[in-house]
Amino acid sequence: MSFSVFPRLTPVVVSMHKSGRILWRIESNRGQHGSHAADKNRSSPSTQHEPCSATADQEPGARRRPGEAHVALFPGQGSQFVGMGRGLVKYGAVRDMFSVAQKILGYDLLSLCLNGPEEVLMKTIHCQPAVFVTSLAAVERLGQENPAAIENCVATAGFSVGEFAALVFSGAMDFTEALYAVNVRARAMQAASEQTPSGMLSVVGRPQANYKHACLQAREHCQSQGIKDPVCMVANYLFPDGRVIAGHQEALDFLQMNSRKLHFLHTRKLPVSGAFHTPLMESAVEPLREVLSKLEIRRPEIAVHSNVDGKRYMHSKHIQRQLARQLVSPVKWEQTMHEVYERTEGQPFPITYEVGPGKQLGSMLQRCNLKAYRNYQHIDVALEQD
């Protein structure tokens, strides 16, 4: 398998180890590697992945007891803030992670995370890699302060770009390759956003709100304005009566102007560059699909749930297919939370860690499943310096 797509540098490959640390190994001539199967056979015992808990081919009965199980959730774009990463460089390989990121991205990601400027960090091409790396830096902190939190991890999920962090965490992808893919993804999404004035609208509705019908009305309004093939659809299912609607800017304006009639309690335009997770991202699919085809993707060692349908990933081709589909498909986060926390009556809930900037996933979990939220913890990414 050729890795000519990657920049010329000595990559540091990252995976998860059951001790709770990110496992690093240096490979000086990655581009000379042979087939996917040969790479697997070549792995030494010191670099092979050890499962955190149950592997994908184990039966549910073989998993840890629910009271001992942990779940890791990784945030997505929109959770970033200036100052994230402060105090984390003292943990394990964090400084090396940001050093490798600088080589791959071509700019000082750590400085951007710590110092901004905010308007630069907020750009899609910067914030997606920033959230990805900072989230995995928080894993290093969690692993050192509470190794059992990772050793007992049985499932993980990530919101949008956070899914790449979840896959690295699960041992399915290597850090450098995933970061390269995230960079390609961010740039392709930014380019797609610049083709059409579009955006995303956060909506909290009353129980009687009909989001599909509201989007239909918005599309009809756009057509009356001469817009051909307008896009307006639910892009994120967050929690009961919580949605993000994305599409042409004129459609979002229509929804806001008619929010009361549509039974929307609250609307807010999100500070993003385009209509992510809709057909307006179609031009970004092929660049991401191409780079994913060149990565070594393994079967996850713990359950990783896909944004596309909430189901767990089963094999490498499944991961490649769903990550590409995710760009133009709604993020079904509410459905994913139901999949992750489904259990029989009386069975205890796992401890949940939100690993990365912000607490948005915790807030959504609280609205999706209050019982699961009672075992929620956030791993902060901005600490006081020593």
Side-chain angles (χ1 to χ4, degrees):
M1 180 173 63
S2 172
F3 281 84
S4 60
V5 67
F6 294 104
R8 289 289 182 180
L9 58 96
T10 301
V12 183
V13 182
V14 183
S15 61
M16 293 308 305
H17 190 275
K18 68 180 292 184
S19 67
R21 292 288 306 282
I22 291 181
L23 182 67
W24 296 74
R25 70 180 186 267
I26 306 295
E27 296 183 351
S28 58
N29 292 302
R30 183 71 186 237
Q32 297 179 8
H33 278 195
S35 68
H36 192 131
D39 277 353
K40 289 185 175 181
N41 294 334
R42 189 181 290 114
S43 297
S44 67
S46 63
T47 62
Q48 287 177 338
H49 302 287
E50 296 185 33
C52 298
S53 58
T55 57
D57 56 358
Q58 285 180 294
E59 294 299 322
R63 296 180 181 177
R64 296 181 184 276
R65 289 179 301 201
E68 299 173 350
H70 297 165
V71 170
L73 303 179
F74 292 89
Q77 183 171 346
S79 62
Q80 70 278 356
F81 61 90
V82 174
M84 66 181 190
R86 186 178 65 241
L88 293 185
V89 292
K90 64 183 179 182
Y91 291 101
V94 171
R95 190 175 293 278
D96 290 333
M97 292 167 69
F98 278 103
S99 177
V100 170
Q102 182 170 354
K103 295 177 182 178
I104 291 175
L105 302 173
Y107 57 87
D108 189 342
L109 182 66
L110 180 59
S111 177
L112 181 59
C113 288
L114 295 178
N115 308 310
E118 184 178 15
E119 61 270 20
V120 177
L121 179 62
M122 294 294 287
K123 291 182 177 180
T124 296
I125 59 173
H126 299 134
C127 69
Q128 289 192 17
V131 169
F132 169 83
V133 176
T134 306
S135 295
L136 290 173
V139 170
E140 277 284 287
R141 178 194 170 196
L142 176 61
Q144 288 201 22
E145 294 182 349
N146 184 8
I150 295 174
E151 183 177 353
N152 295 334
C153 187
V154 297
T156 182
F159 194 101
S160 192
V161 71
E163 202 163 286
F164 285 84
L167 286 163
V168 172
F169 179 81
S170 75
M173 300 178 75
D174 294 324
F175 173 80
T176 45
E177 295 179 5
L179 177 56
Y180 188 85
V182 166
N183 190 38
V184 170
R185 177 186 191 269
R187 292 181 179 280
M189 291 174 72
Q190 179 68 48
S193 299
E194 293 169 358
Q195 295 177 15
T196 305
S198 58
M200 305 184 80
L201 183 72
S202 174
V203 176
V204 177
R206 298 182 186 276
Q208 64 266 41
N210 187 325
Y211 304 98
K212 288 186 178 179
H213 186 63
C215 290
L216 174 61
Q217 292 183 62
R219 291 196 298 272
E220 290 175 345
H221 167 75
C222 288
Q223 288 174 330
S224 71
Q225 302 296 308
I227 298 174
K228 186 179 179 181
D229 299 324
V231 172
C232 182
M233 59 180 284
V234 174
N236 301 162
Y237 293 84
L238 305 178
F239 51 84
D241 296 316
R243 305 285 188 271
V244 171
I245 297 175
H248 282 79
Q249 199 62 59
E250 292 85 351
L252 304 185
D253 292 340
F254 171 86
L255 294 177
Q256 283 197 298
M257 288 188 295
N258 294 276
S259 61
R260 179 175 296 184
K261 191 163 51 177
L262 296 168
H263 305 292
F264 293 167
L265 287 170
H266 173 75
T267 64
R268 179 176 64 90
K269 287 188 178 177
L270 300 182
V272 296
S273 58
F276 304 152
H277 306 290
T278 75
L280 290 177
M281 290 292 108
E282 186 63 44
S283 65
V285 172
E286 191 53 39
L288 178 60
R289 182 181 287 128
E290 181 181 357
V291 73
L292 289 172
S293 71
K294 295 178 171 64
L295 304 187
E296 178 186 351
I297 301 178
R298 298 167 290 273
R299 190 177 187 179
E301 295 172 355
I302 61 174
V304 183
H305 291 262
S306 167
N307 285 181
V308 173
D309 55 14
K311 304 297 183 182
R312 62 187 297 179
Y313 284 120
M314 301 310 296
H315 50 77
S316 60
K317 293 296 184 184
H318 189 202
I319 293 171
Q320 289 175 336
R321 183 171 64 251
Q322 295 292 73
L323 286 179
R325 283 185 60 195
Q326 188 215 73
L327 290 182
V328 292
S329 302
V331 172
K332 295 185 176 178
W333 191 254
E334 180 184 350
Q335 296 87 330
T336 298
M337 293 299 94
H338 291 318
E339 289 280 342
V340 171
Y341 296 102
E342 182 181 14
R343 60 205 58 246
T344 58
E345 185 70 27
Q347 204 174 25
F349 284 88
I351 298 173
T352 297
Y353 297 93
E354 182 171 358
V355 191
K359 298 181 181 180
Q360 293 93 328
L361 301 185
S363 297
M364 288 188 274
L365 178 60
Q366 185 177 20
R367 298 194 184 206
C368 289
N369 192 321
L370 183 58
K371 290 182 179 179
Y373 175 73
R374 288 172 181 151
N375 289 334
Y376 164 87
Q377 297 181 36
H378 175 242
I379 307 305
D380 200 356
V381 298
L383 308 176
E384 294 299 325
Q385 296 282 12
D386 294 335

